[in-house]
Amino acid sequence: GQQVMQIPQYQHVQEGEDFTTYCNSSTTLSNIQWYKQRPGGHPVFLIQLVKSGEVKKQKRLTFQFGEAKKNSSLHITATQTTDVGTYFCAGPHNQGGKLIFGQGTELSVKP
Amino acid sequence: GAVVSQHPSWVICKSGTSVKIECRSLDFQATTMFWYRQFPKQSLMLMATSNEGSKATYEQGVEKDKFLINHASLTLSTLTVTSAHPEDSSFYICSARSQDSKNIQYFGAGTRLSVL
């Protein structure tokens, strides 16, 4: 079946270091979305990418959608302790309106 | 905008009892809502898609009679865990899909269910 795979599962960084999580889909996606879930919290929508090769920035976060629309990445520059949480990518299922979520990347930042 | 309220946030119940969880879209109408279950350190597992005015669509392996879903209005969906057992203890999260064509989901705060 349709799958969205995300790596790494965990990432531990020192504050100030960069962080990247990668997302790969088994099928071409019409769009890809990124969510952040803080420890003990719920997923919060960050961004949606629609166009092939699209790059969007939100302050220190850079999101990229691959040319083939099958992969995506989230890069955080100079991590801060407020970046701690699990980052999920998600793509629409090719049948119906549900989203297929990646396994998530848990980021911990050591001050 | 796009606020989803989920209640209760935390519930403890005895084995064999039923628990109802409510999910409300506060500032938009949601014809489609989703119910997820999340285990510690794991991703979101979709349980069912809740459609206003029609029967929910359950994912494979999810017991329809165990997890009753009702979407009676454009702003409210409920999940009832019937005859709860300790293995049903989990974090349940609902989401509502945006009204536009972007298919963005807005999540409730989640409900932590502990069955004793």
Side-chain angles (χ1 to χ4, degrees), chain A residues 9-10 31 33 35 37 40-43 45 48 88 92 96-99 101-104 106, chain B residues 34 36 38 41-44 46 49 59 91 93 97 102-110 112:
Chain A
Q9 188 174 0
Y10 302 98
N31 69 83
Q33 303 173 27
Y35 294 79
Q37 185 175 19
H42 61 279
F45 172 75
Q48 182 185 56
F88 292 99
K98 61 186 180 182
L99 290 177
F101 281 84
Q103 299 93 325
E106 182 180 345
Chain B
F34 302 89
Y36 295 86
Q38 187 177 38
K41 302 290 186 181
Q42 293 190 22
S43 187
L44 301 161
L46 179 64
T49 301
E59 294 299 301
F91 187 49
I93 317 177
R97 188 166 70 188
K102 295 182 178 181
N103 195 18
I104 294 167
Q105 293 188 21
Y106 298 97
F107 287 83
R112 297 196 180 277

Side-chain angles (χ1 to χ4, degrees), chain B residues 53-101:
Chain B
S54 64
K55 291 182 179 180
T57 304
Y58 289 82
E59 294 299 301
Q60 191 174 6
V62 178
E63 298 177 59
K64 302 178 182 181
D65 296 331
K66 174 77 174 174
F67 300 100
L68 299 179
I69 291 172
N70 184 276
H71 196 152
S73 77
L74 286 171
T75 59
L76 174 64
S77 175
T78 60
L79 168 68
T80 302
V81 183
T82 62
S83 187
H85 291 283
E87 58 265 30
D88 298 324
S89 298
S90 191
F91 187 49
Y92 294 88
I93 317 177
C94 71
S95 71
R97 188 166 70 188
S98 58
Q99 287 180 289
D100 57 25
S101 60

